[in-house]
Amino acid sequence: MADAMSSTHQNVKQLAVRLEDKGLLRIKQDPENRRMLRLEPTGRFHEFWAGRDERDAATLKSLFDSLDDEEVKILFNVFSKLEEASKQRYMEYRAR
């Protein structure tokens, strides 16, 4: 997880502990490699995200309703460039 987030193991563990305290996931030791921890989503995690689907979709739709077609195309191009730059940074980080 730390690698995927381009973060340190310590930072990810702190975040995971907070999420575990809120009941959103469980931190478990891997039975085959006791140094490795596994993150397991809980029922509360799934309830949280299931309850957000409709509200989040409506909120996003209302935001994009204020844009015309040309503005949406420009925004898409900007996000595409940011995604590519992010991938490059991630690959550079992994190569260290």
Side-chain angles (χ1 to χ4, degrees), residues 10-75:
Q10 293 84 0
N11 287 343
V12 172
K13 175 92 184 263
Q14 286 177 354
L15 178 60
V17 166
R18 284 190 218 126
L19 292 172
E20 186 176 46
D21 289 345
K22 292 180 184 215
L24 295 169
L25 61 81
R26 281 186 285 279
I27 302 171
K28 293 182 160 188
Q29 272 190 330
D30 185 290
E32 296 177 19
N33 181 350
R34 298 190 54 80
R35 295 179 308 154
M36 191 174 293
L37 299 175
R38 300 285 178 195
L39 304 178
E40 181 180 284
T42 64
R44 186 169 179 199
F45 170 92
H46 295 292
E47 290 169 12
F48 174 82
W49 288 109
R52 296 194 57 94
D53 291 346
E54 287 184 32
R55 290 180 307 196
D56 289 349
T59 299
L60 282 174
K61 184 179 180 325
S62 72
L63 292 173
F64 284 91
D65 282 346
S66 66
L67 302 175
D68 64 33
D69 288 347
E70 187 59 29
E71 289 169 324
V72 170
K73 288 178 189 176
I74 291 168
L75 183 59

